[in-house]
Amino acid sequence: MKRTAQAASSIRGILRRSYTAVICSLTIPLVITLLLLVVIVNTYNGAVDRIDCAAQAQNVLEQELPSEIWNIISGRKTFEQGEQYAMLDQLYGLMDDLTKTASDGQQKYLNAAVRALDTLEGYIKALGVQTAQGAAVSWNESLYQEITSVTLLAADMLDQYSAGEIELLSVLNRRINFLVMLLAAAAVLTVCGVVYASVRTYRRVENAIRKPILRMERMAARIAKGDMEVRLQAPTIAELYPLADDLNRMAEQLDRLIAEQIEQEKTLKKAELRALQAQIAPHFVYNTLETIVWLAEEGKTREVVEVTMAFTDFLRISLSGGQDFISVAKEEQHVRSYLMIQSVRYGSIMRFEIDIDPVLADKRMLKLMLQPLVENAIYHGIKNKRGRGLLRITGRQEQDWMVFAVADNGIGMTEEQLDALRARIERKEGEEGYGLRNITQRLRLYGGRGLEIESKLNCGTTVRFALPCAAGQERKEN
């Protein structure tokens, strides 16, 4: 154990030194180069911004301001309507921005341009005075020539300023290219160093660590797929002993817990099914017996026989020898017997249709799935509807699924009521929604799709569920 601990410590040291070398070789050259690159790029961007600012000022001096002055002289605008002073303010603002960041060598051009702007402002004021006094056009034209000369002078100063900035851009561009090449060389060297260190480290630790970990990964994958019989052999690295032992004990505990959970779920679901049957049976039995007594008192012998036979079929299929699965044909007969009995009581307000595809007749399904849904449709939908209601039961095969639906055109539900019903079905406590919740849990337990409920107020409700076609064949023993 002592020798193994020393080996483990040595492995950590190898990894630590390798990673330190890799990180340093990656970060130090990269950080230095990036810092220089950031500084140069910021300087480059500043020069570009200054050139753009100078170009804006040149455009105002060479194009916009002379054009505005000429519009005033030619009479297209009055002096007061002209935007010459706004353009002057824009120029002073641009000059101020350039002056703040200009180097000493560039400052002289900007100072000359500012003095030209001062002169230009004086000429514009003189033009305003002449215009107000109604001076001759020749005087204004002469003043226009002076203004254009000054604007060209200022533009020329800005042009020389821009030339200096462009020369600075050229220098910065060469520096950026150099740094990029330096960064590329550093990257190549770094990659080579990382590859060398990685290969060297990999070879040294592969046999010591990689193989035991791969065995543990394969074990975890097999556990995830449900194989709880897999076990690990004792690894050669002492530090991996606790992990291997924990994985083996985890597999044993999972195997035991899963078996216990499955047994508990089966017991719980069967108990819930019995509770559902007990909940449904009493009041229906009492009502049916009262109906038979009433028919007998009325002397309706044929109806007494029909109801009694239907009730007998209903009880026999409900019990089904304790089996949870019956054929679809028997489930259809079960719900048909139930509806026949109920039609005697509610015949004036209810009619029903059963349309189950004959291809499903011999397939097996969970029993007591349709009757609770039909009962809900009668008591909560059709009984509350004015006039005669229609109850329709359908069954179809869709690929590998048997899809059943119970639809009524009864009172229906609002969106709020429907949401509340769905919430009650999902709750694990409370009496409300117990029957539908029990059906949902049974469907999930046996691989079916849960209840899908659609409803609209005053239009009716439809409840659907689906079972796999092979479900009953797999669980006949239940």
Side-chain angles (χ1 to χ4, degrees), residues 415-468:
E415 287 292 334
E416 292 77 10
Q417 291 172 327
L418 182 58
D419 291 340
L421 176 60
R422 288 169 176 162
R424 289 197 298 270
I425 291 174
E426 293 299 325
R427 282 203 300 267
K428 298 185 181 300
E429 297 180 355
E431 295 299 326
E432 294 185 353
Y434 177 84
L436 296 180
R437 183 165 67 249
N438 186 281
I439 292 174
T440 300
Q441 292 174 345
R442 291 171 64 209
L443 285 169
R444 291 173 178 170
L445 178 64
Y446 290 103
R449 294 204 297 257
L451 296 180
E452 298 176 5
I453 306 175
E454 300 174 0
S455 186
K456 189 174 181 181
L457 189 63
N458 297 322
C459 293
T461 302
T462 300
V463 182
R464 295 184 182 86
F465 66 90
L467 283 166

Side-chain angles (χ1 to χ4, degrees), residues 307-318:
V307 172
T308 303
M309 292 301 297
F311 187 47
T312 302
D313 288 341
F314 177 85
L315 291 177
R316 183 175 62 253
I317 297 173
S318 295

